[in-house]
């Protein structure tokens, strides 16, 4: 499987929620990925499967401020295509203009909300 770099700006709160949710699912013995990146990719797939209206419903307030960091993740090309298609759909149908990073943080927060 070909992997492509995906650079994401993570704010500390969202990154910590992703890690905590991933570990909580591991501790519960729930079926799922065995890496944090795998958990994030599942969150991406779940978020992309929502309609633009449904993504808007689970969207929290923008968290672009505060302490954060950039991280490059090597993801399947299919994941990049999934994110791009969802971003285009959000712009065309929902009138939302998000960066890849903002969209990913939204996906992770939505998944963490389900875990908590």
């Amino acid at each position: 499987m070909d992997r492509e770099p995906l650079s994401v700006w993570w704010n500390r709160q969202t990154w910590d929620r992703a890690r905590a949710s991933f570990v909580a699912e591991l501790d519960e013995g729930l079926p799922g990925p065995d890496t944090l990146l795998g958990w994030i990719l599942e969150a991406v797939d779940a978020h992309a499967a929502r309609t633009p209206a449904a993504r808007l419903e689970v969207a929290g307030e923008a968290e672009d401020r505060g302490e954060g960091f950039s991280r490059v993740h090597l993801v399947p090309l299919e994941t990049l295509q999934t994110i791009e298609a969802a971003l285009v759909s959000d712009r065309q149908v929902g009138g939302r203009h998000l960066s890849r990073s903002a969209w990913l943080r939204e996906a992770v927060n939505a998944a963490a909300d389900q875990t908590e």
Side-chain angles (χ1 to χ4, degrees), residues 23-99:
V23 170
E25 288 182 10
L26 279 179
D27 289 348
E28 295 278 325
L30 298 173
D34 58 359
T35 65
L36 177 57
L37 180 57
W39 186 90
I40 291 169
L41 295 179
E42 280 192 355
V44 165
D45 289 341
H47 202 50
R50 295 179 176 100
T51 64
R55 284 193 289 271
L56 181 57
E57 283 182 28
V58 299
E61 291 186 28
E63 299 175 352
D64 291 338
R65 294 191 174 99
E67 180 185 342
F69 56 93
S70 290
R71 178 156 293 175
V72 176
H73 304 282
L74 292 178
V75 301
L77 177 59
E78 175 182 284
T79 298
L80 291 177
Q81 293 167 339
T82 297
I83 293 167
E84 288 304 315
L87 285 167
V88 169
S89 181
D90 284 349
R91 279 193 302 272
Q92 292 177 342
V93 176
R96 300 177 70 211
H97 300 270
L98 298 174
S99 67

